[in-house]
Amino acid sequence: MNLEELFLKRQSTRDYSDKEITEDELKEICRLAILAPSAINAQPYNLYAICGEKAKLFCPLVQVKGANSWASNCPAFIVIEARKPFAVTRGERTVTNAPFIGNDVGILAAYIALAAEDMDIQTCIVGLRDESGIAKFLNLPDGTSFPLVIALGHKKEGYPVREKTRRDFNETVHIIK
């Protein structure tokens, strides 16, 4: 599949079949995703791939206040943990990745979603989540930051690929010469 086909096919999917996502599939998605660029090459994140019975136990953590009821049928999740910022010295200059962690997580999420879609695994990037509950689930300290969770699964038979509706190119893109 070429890149444009991949972009047109990828969408947030919220209805998954019973087909499992294997540990090997999750490892491959994560392996490809961590090729994403990051500020000062800091890779300010850890990934936690959850599948099988643990995914069923995890799903209430993205169903805060009754949201995301579809997640009950989701066979796998990738949790992104944001690591603490740090600085590096380059010559006489010290540079920190702190202002860029959100950008880096966003780029990583896009890489995860596209790597999964290329393997015919669909995703939904979830922002609503119980961070304290996730920390407890992963046996990490309370206060650990989990900016995004990505649900993964094979779409249910007949789940439509929706046509992309975007703002007009000329309203969105401005070429400055």
Side-chain angles (χ1 to χ4, degrees), residues 59-122:
C59 94
L61 300 173
V62 296
Q63 295 177 316
V64 178
K65 297 181 182 176
N68 303 324
S69 60
W70 54 266
S72 296
N73 296 324
C74 186
F77 297 90
I78 294 176
V79 177
I80 301 173
E81 173 196 1
R83 293 175 46 213
K84 302 286 185 218
F86 69 90
V88 296
T89 302
R90 294 191 171 151
E92 296 179 18
R93 199 174 83 139
T94 300
V95 182
T96 179
N97 70 327
F100 308 108
I101 292 174
N103 301 0
D104 294 342
V105 166
I107 294 166
L108 175 70
Y111 270 56
I112 291 170
L114 292 170
E117 189 66 51
D118 193 50
M119 296 170 60
D120 203 29
I121 295 171
Q122 287 67 52

